[in-house]
């Protein structure tokens, strides 16, 4: 773009005061373009409406074109080619103003449409983007102030999470809006030319094609001029399209590269701390004392300039000196009400400032940068290499030798190999499951086009007629008031652990034998959420017991879903993001394609994925031991029952024998011969009586045998 600077889209994320100052210049230029374009539009509208006053309206247009060189555009005001071109147009239009007539249809298509599009679409787009950018900038300032005011003593995970999400959303919105706003302001410089030249060119061509009356006034020189203008307009349009394509590509690249930077406190594993910097700039909060014990925090833009620390408020043209940081001392401090604070003390100890960074990474980089500057490393030929060598020397001075580490590891006792378990962690699955992963294709894990459920089915919809019950739903309707007439089967469980989780989604899987099933399900659900812009997640309380896993509504305490622990066959955390975890539930009744129906559920927790998996593993171990104890108890009861039965048989046999002995004594006593009188006389029985007595004895003996 000739003679014109462009707004740097690459510096939108930094949002420095210099960028804001340059943006103000472009906004002033856009206002001037809008003012001038409105005047030109009204002039051409007058040509279109005033059929009987065409000459006067054309003269006014010519006059406005002559005044272009008097316009004070902050950008491109010294474009001599544009000025001379409009001057030539002004002369031609003034000469032809007496013989022009209005053809409303052609003028509407060739003249009014381009300038109308520029006014109604492009200029209004600038105004709309400006308003949206101001709103996004204000929201970002509010979110940053709220995040900066997070208390260190009373740190609330929910409040911190909400503040972080607000900063992430506000910063992303401001960055994206600012990039599109910069792109529109850069493009308006091209459209300014085309919006002025195209209506004029269409106007001239409409007059030539319709009237056929100005052939004596149109010589070859003017035709060549018009041809050159048309070629110039096409060239400007091609340059604008190319520049727009480059800016759109830059926006896409910046959005992809800046995604981790939207978080106020990024992950140090993804964005490591650079300790070799000798220059740094960014926003910091400075602590200002307002009384003996009271203080306030102000947010300014700070940057290093040589051996000086400078600050610049938003709207200021230049920065001011904060302090000299040559030979200074800097250290991280523990503030009472703020995090990520550090203190800089001058070399003479007379002046010190307390600053707060947005994140731990930013705080450590500021401390490292100021340390490097205090050592005057910035005066060397290659400051970053010198800082790297100095930091490496300091690191080697405190790092133990490899031989000591080898001896230490050789003395460490060997860890016994653990038996194969269903649960697979991110570290343990890399070596053991790598071969399984190569042998297991994605189609054998998750079927293509498998539907994903992003919402939790409420308890009211569990018993709807005609609807199959999904795995994990209970067969009994849950009381909506959180009360139950029956005693819960998990009340006697010795394990009760509660976790806060957010449901991401669930889908049917074809295999439940490897942790790769959970990893692949996580990938597909997160990808589907990103594609469909699904950001809402249902928060619940996950209760882990020895019988089941329950999802409980945190407000009403109603059980949303219940997963029997025996059906949970696989569970694992994400290999990198430990907040993500999932488990596979195998349905006892449903079968699909000759195999049990398995559904994988994915959740997000508050940095407790490993704890939840450990809790589930502990619950399964407790349940296993309880089942083994129950079986042993049942077996012992059966043995005791058999022994009791045998004891009863023995007691019954002894009782029978005792009864027989008693009957024998009674029979013997009754068959004994009667004694005679006291003088010793005996009664002599006849032979027939003795035989009868013998027969009676034999009958009684047979009777005893039959009873026995």
């Amino acid at each position: 773009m000739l003679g014109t600077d462009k707004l740097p889209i690459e510096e939108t994320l930094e949002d420095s005061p210099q960028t804001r100052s340059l943006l103000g210049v472009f906004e002033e230029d856009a206002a001037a373009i809008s003012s001038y374009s409105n005047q030109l539009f009204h002039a051409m509208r007058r040509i279109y409406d005033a059929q009987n006053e065409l000459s006067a309206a054309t003269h006014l247009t010519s006059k406005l074109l002559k005044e272009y060189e008097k316009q004070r555009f902050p950008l491109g005001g010294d474009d001599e080619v544009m000025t001379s071109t409009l001057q030539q147009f002004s002369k031609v239009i003034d000469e032809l103003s007496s013989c022009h007539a209005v053809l409303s249809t052609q003028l509407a298509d060739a003249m009014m449409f381009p300038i109308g599009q520029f006014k109604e679409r492009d200029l209004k787009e600038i105004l709309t983007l400006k308003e949206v950018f101001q709103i996004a900038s204000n929201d970002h300032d509010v979110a940053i102030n709220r995040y900066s005011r997070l208390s260190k003593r009373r740190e609330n995970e929910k409040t911190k999470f909400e503040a972080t999400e607000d900063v992430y959303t506000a910063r992303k919105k401001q960055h994206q809006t600012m990039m599109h706003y910069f792109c529109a302001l850069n493009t308006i410089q091209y459209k300014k030319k085309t919006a002025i030249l195209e209506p004029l060119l269409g106007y001239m061509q409409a007059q030539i094609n319709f009237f056929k009356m100005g052939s004596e006034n149109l010589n070859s020189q003017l035709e060549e001029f018009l041809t050159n203008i048309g070629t110039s307009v096409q060239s400007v349009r091609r340059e604008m399209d190319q520049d727009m394509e480059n800016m759109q590509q830059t926006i896409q690249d910046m959005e992809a590269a800046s995604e981790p930077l939207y978080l106020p406190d990024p992950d140090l594993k993804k964005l490591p701390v650079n300790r070799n910097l000798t220059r740094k700039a960014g926003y910091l909060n400075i602590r200002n004392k307002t009384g003996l014990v009271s203080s306030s925090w102000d947010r300014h833009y700070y940057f290093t300039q040589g051996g000086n620390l400078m600050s610049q408020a938003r709207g200021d043209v230049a920065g001011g000196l904060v302090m000299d940081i040559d030979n200074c001392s800097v250290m991280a401090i523990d503030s009472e009400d703020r995090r990520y604070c550090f203190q800089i003390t001058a070399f003479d100890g007379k002046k010190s400032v307390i600053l707060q960074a947005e994140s731990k990474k930013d705080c450590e980089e500021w401390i490292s940068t100021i340390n490097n500057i205090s050592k005057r490393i910035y005066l060397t030929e290659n400051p970053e290499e010198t800082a790297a060598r100095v930091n490496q020397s300091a690191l080697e001075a405190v790092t133990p030798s490899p031989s000591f580490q080898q001896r230490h590891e050789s003395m460490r006792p060997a860890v016994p190999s653990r038996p194969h378990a269903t649960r697979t962690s991110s570290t343990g699955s890399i070596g053991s499951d790598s071969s399984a992963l190569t042998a297991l294709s994605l189609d054998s894990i998750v079927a293509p086009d498998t539907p994903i459920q992003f919402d939790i089915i409420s308890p009211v919809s569990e018993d709807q007629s005609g609807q199959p019950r999904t795995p994990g739903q209970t067969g009994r309707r849950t009381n909506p008031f959180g009360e139950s007439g029956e005693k819960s089967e998990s009340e006697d469980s010795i394990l009760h652990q509660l976790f806060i989780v957010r449901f991401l989604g669930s889908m049917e899987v074809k295999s439940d034998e490897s942790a790769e099933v959970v990893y692949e399900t996580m990938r597909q659900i997160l990808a589907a959420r990103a594609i469909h812009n699904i950001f809402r997640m249902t928060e619940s309380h996950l209760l882990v017991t020895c019988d089941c896993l329950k999802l409980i509504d945190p407000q009403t305490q109603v059980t949303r879903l219940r997963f029997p622990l025996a059906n949970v066959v696989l569970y694992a955390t994400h290999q990198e993001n430990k907040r993500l975890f999932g488990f596979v539930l195998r349905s006892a009744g449903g079968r699909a394609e000759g195999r049990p129906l398995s559904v994988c559920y994915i959740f997000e927790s508050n940095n407790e994925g490993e704890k939840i998996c450990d809790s589930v593993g502990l619950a399964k171990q407790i349940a296993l031991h309880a089942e083994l104890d129950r079986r042993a108890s049942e077996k012992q009861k059966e043995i005791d029952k058999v022994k009791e039965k045998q004891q009863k048989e023995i007691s019954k046999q002894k009782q029978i024998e005792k009864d027989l002995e008693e009957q024998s004594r009674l029979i013997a006593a009754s068959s004994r011969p009667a004694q005679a009188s006291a003088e010793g006389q005996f009664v002599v029985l006849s032979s027939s009586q003795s035989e009868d007595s013998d027969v009676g004895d034999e009958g009684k003996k047979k009777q005893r045998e039959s009873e026995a």
Side-chain angles (χ1 to χ4, degrees):
M1 197 160 52
L2 298 176
T4 305
D5 294 331
K6 294 187 295 186
L7 284 170
I9 299 178
E10 296 80 3
E11 297 180 4
T12 53
L13 182 59
E14 185 178 4
D15 192 19
S16 63
Q18 292 84 352
T19 306
R20 287 296 182 102
S21 299
L22 186 59
L23 175 61
V25 177
F26 272 76
E27 289 177 344
E28 185 180 356
D29 181 77
I33 293 174
S34 177
S35 177
Y36 178 77
S37 300
N38 287 330
Q39 296 181 39
L40 188 59
F41 174 81
H42 288 299
M44 293 185 177
R45 184 72 180 181
R46 187 175 179 182
I47 296 173
Y48 178 73
D49 294 334
Q51 298 181 2
N52 298 324
E53 298 178 359
L54 181 58
S55 298
T58 309
H59 179 71
L60 178 60
T61 303
S62 175
K63 182 180 178 181
L64 288 174
L65 295 178
K66 289 179 182 179
E67 292 178 354
Y68 178 82
E69 61 180 357
K70 299 179 182 180
Q71 299 294 323
R72 294 294 179 261
F73 295 115
L75 298 174
D78 56 347
D79 192 354
E80 297 180 357
V81 176
M82 187 69 179
T83 303
S84 61
T85 303
L86 294 182
Q87 289 293 331
Q88 186 66 23
F89 266 116
S90 176
K91 293 178 181 179
V92 174
I93 293 173
D94 190 59
E95 292 174 358
L96 297 176
S97 61
S98 60
C99 61
H100 282 177
V102 177
L103 182 59
S104 58
T105 304
Q106 290 191 358
L107 289 179
D109 295 338
M111 184 179 67
M112 297 303 298
F113 181 75
I115 190 68
Q117 287 289 316
F118 177 72
K119 178 178 178 294
E120 297 296 328
R121 183 183 63 186
D122 300 325
L123 294 181
K124 284 188 177 181
E125 181 184 6
I126 293 294
L127 295 177
T128 303
L129 287 175
K130 183 179 180 180
E131 294 177 358
V132 173
F133 170 68
Q134 290 177 352
I135 294 173
S137 180
N138 295 334
D139 293 342
H140 177 256
D141 292 341
V142 172
I144 283 295
N145 290 332
R146 180 187 176 190
Y147 179 80
S148 301
R149 291 195 302 268
L150 288 178
S151 176
K152 181 180 179 182
R153 292 183 174 179
R154 297 178 299 171
E155 187 169 359
N156 191 340
E157 291 295 330
K158 184 177 181 180
T159 306
K160 180 181 177 183
F161 176 77
E162 292 176 354
T164 304
E165 287 294 322
D166 290 343
V167 173
Y168 173 84
T169 304
R171 182 167 292 174
K172 183 175 182 179
K173 181 180 179 181
Q174 180 191 6
H175 185 210
Q176 294 178 351
T177 306
M178 196 172 186
M179 287 192 293
H180 290 288
Y181 187 33
F182 279 23
C183 178
L185 288 175
N186 291 336
T187 308
I188 203 68
Q189 300 302 317
Y190 296 101
K191 292 183 178 181
K192 174 185 69 176
K193 298 181 180 181
T194 58
I196 297 175
L197 296 178
E198 278 186 342
L200 299 176
L201 182 61
Y203 175 80
M204 297 299 298
Q205 290 177 349
Q207 299 296 333
I208 294 171
N209 295 331
F210 182 75
F211 288 106
K212 301 295 184 180
M213 295 175 59
S215 58
E216 63 275 12
N217 297 327
L218 298 176
N219 52 28
S220 59
Q221 185 177 1
L222 185 57
E223 291 180 354
E224 183 180 357
F225 170 73
L226 295 178
T227 303
N228 292 336
I229 293 301
T231 305
S232 177
V233 170
Q234 295 299 325
S235 177
V236 172
R237 183 172 291 279
R238 286 194 298 269
E239 185 179 356
M240 180 189 69
D241 293 339
Q242 181 64 31
D243 204 0
M244 282 188 63
E245 184 179 354
N246 294 336
M247 287 188 292
Q248 291 294 337
Q249 184 63 36
T250 303
I251 289 175
Q252 294 178 3
D253 297 339
M254 289 294 295
E255 287 180 350
S258 303
E259 186 70 22
L261 301 179
Y262 294 137
L263 291 171
D265 196 359
D267 190 2
L268 295 180
K269 296 180 180 179
K270 298 181 179 179
L271 294 175
V273 178
N274 188 358
R275 305 185 185 277
N276 304 327
L277 297 175
T278 56
R279 292 183 301 174
K280 188 167 177 60
Y283 282 97
L284 296 172
N285 294 329
I286 185 170
R287 182 179 182 181
N288 298 320
K289 288 188 176 181
T290 57
L292 294 177
V293 294
S294 60
S295 61
S296 63
W297 294 84
D298 297 327
R299 190 168 184 261
H300 297 291
Y301 184 82
Y302 289 83
F303 59 95
T304 59
Q305 192 175 58
N308 298 324
L309 179 64
M310 313 289 289
S311 69
Q312 185 176 1
R314 183 174 295 178
D316 293 348
V317 179
L321 177 65
V322 177
M323 65 182 302
D324 183 7
I325 53 178
D326 273 340
N327 297 323
C328 72
S329 62
V330 58
M331 63 178 180
I333 62 172
D334 226 0
S335 179
E336 296 179 354
D337 56 345
R338 298 277 177 132
R339 302 174 302 162
Y340 310 135
C341 294
F342 59 97
Q343 180 176 355
I344 307 174
T345 306
F347 69 98
D348 54 358
K350 295 181 179 180
K351 184 177 182 180
S352 64
V353 293
I354 297 177
L355 301 172
Q356 180 196 16
E358 289 184 2
S359 62
K360 183 178 180 181
K361 173 182 178 297
D362 203 16
C363 179
E364 293 183 6
E365 285 187 351
W366 271 106
I367 294 175
S368 300
T369 303
I370 295 174
N371 269 327
N372 295 334
I373 294 176
S374 66
K375 299 174 185 177
R376 298 190 176 184
I377 297 178
Y378 66 93
L379 299 176
T380 60
E381 294 182 357
N382 198 335
E384 291 191 2
E385 290 186 3
T386 305
R389 289 197 301 269
V390 171
N391 293 330
Q392 184 64 28
S393 300
L395 183 63
E396 292 175 355
V398 297
T399 303
S401 62
S403 60
F404 175 79
Q405 292 181 357
Q406 293 174 1
R407 291 197 305 269
H408 179 68
E409 292 183 358
S410 64
M411 295 173 63
R412 184 181 301 171
V415 180
S417 60
R418 300 177 61 181
H420 177 71
T422 305
R423 178 184 176 273
T424 308
S425 63
S426 58
T427 56
S429 62
I430 295 176
S432 61
D433 294 339
S434 58
S435 59
L437 177 60
T438 57
L440 195 64
S441 63
L442 295 181
D443 292 342
S444 63
I445 295 177
V446 179
D449 301 330
T450 301
I452 301 176
Q453 179 178 321
F454 295 107
D455 294 327
I456 298 177
I457 300 177
S458 62
V460 179
S461 62
E462 291 180 3
D463 297 331
Q464 291 181 354
S465 60
Q467 296 290 338
R469 184 171 299 153
T470 59
Q473 289 185 354
T474 58
R476 179 172 52 86
R477 184 187 298 272
T478 305
N479 194 326
F481 297 99
E483 302 173 355
S484 178
E486 300 178 3
K487 185 177 179 180
S488 175
E489 58 184 5
S490 61
E491 289 182 359
D492 297 334
S493 176
I494 62 174
L495 178 66
H496 284 82
Q497 290 189 354
L498 196 67
F499 303 93
I500 299 176
V501 298
R502 288 165 293 279
F503 182 69
L504 295 177
S506 63
M507 61 187 300
E508 182 182 349
V509 295
K510 300 176 66 175
S511 174
D512 53 11
E513 298 178 355
S514 172
E516 300 299 331
V517 176
V518 181
Y519 302 153
E520 178 63 20
T521 307
M522 290 179 180
R523 187 191 67 79
Q524 293 198 18
I525 290 178
L526 293 178
R529 279 183 168 268
I531 292 173
H532 299 289
N533 294 325
I534 301 175
F535 302 106
R536 182 177 59 85
M537 294 183 290
T538 304
E539 183 171 299
S540 304
H541 288 171
L542 178 63
L543 179 63
V544 180
T545 67
C546 298
D547 301 322
C548 62
L549 307 180
K550 285 186 178 181
L551 283 181
I552 303 174
D553 192 321
Q555 297 181 353
T556 62
Q557 300 301 316
V558 173
T559 301
R560 290 173 171 168
L561 286 178
R562 180 183 179 278
F563 308 101
L565 191 64
N567 295 349
V568 178
V569 296
L570 182 65
Y571 48 95
T573 58
H574 195 273
Q575 293 174 314
E576 297 178 358
N577 188 356
K578 297 303 181 182
R579 295 186 305 170
L580 301 180
F581 77 98
F583 58 84
V584 178
L585 190 74
R586 182 185 296 171
S587 174
R591 300 184 67 85
E593 299 179 0
R595 57 177 176 80
L597 181 64
S598 300
V599 179
C600 184
Y601 294 83
I602 305 301
F603 297 87
E604 181 188 31
S605 63
N606 298 332
N607 297 322
E608 295 180 341
E610 288 286 346
K611 293 182 180 180
I612 296 176
C613 289
D614 292 339
S615 179
V616 175
L618 178 61
K620 292 187 75 68
Q621 290 181 2
I622 294 175
L624 177 61
H625 289 298
E627 180 65 19
L628 294 177
D629 294 341
R630 185 186 64 81
R631 292 181 180 179
S633 177
E634 290 181 355
K635 188 175 181 180
Q636 184 64 34
K637 287 181 180 179
E638 292 179 357
I639 294 174
D640 294 341
K641 190 179 293 184
V642 171
K643 290 182 178 180
E644 184 179 357
K645 186 177 180 180
Q646 292 178 354
Q647 189 68 27
K648 288 182 178 180
E649 291 291 337
I650 294 174
S651 300
K652 186 177 180 181
Q653 184 68 26
K654 290 182 177 180
Q655 184 65 32
I656 292 174
E657 292 179 355
K658 185 177 180 181
D659 293 341
L660 290 177
E661 291 178 356
E662 184 67 24
Q663 290 180 3
S664 300
R665 286 196 300 271
L666 292 175
I667 293 172
S670 61
S671 61
R672 187 176 301 165
Q675 294 181 357
S677 61
E679 288 82 7
Q681 295 179 355
F682 294 93
V683 178
V684 178
L685 298 177
S686 62
S687 60
S688 60
Q689 290 178 345
S690 62
E691 289 177 358
D692 292 337
S693 63
D694 294 336
V695 171
D697 293 338
E698 289 178 1
K700 290 180 180 180
K701 186 177 181 181
K702 290 181 180 180
Q703 183 180 0
R704 286 198 302 269
E705 290 179 357
S706 62
E707 289 177 356

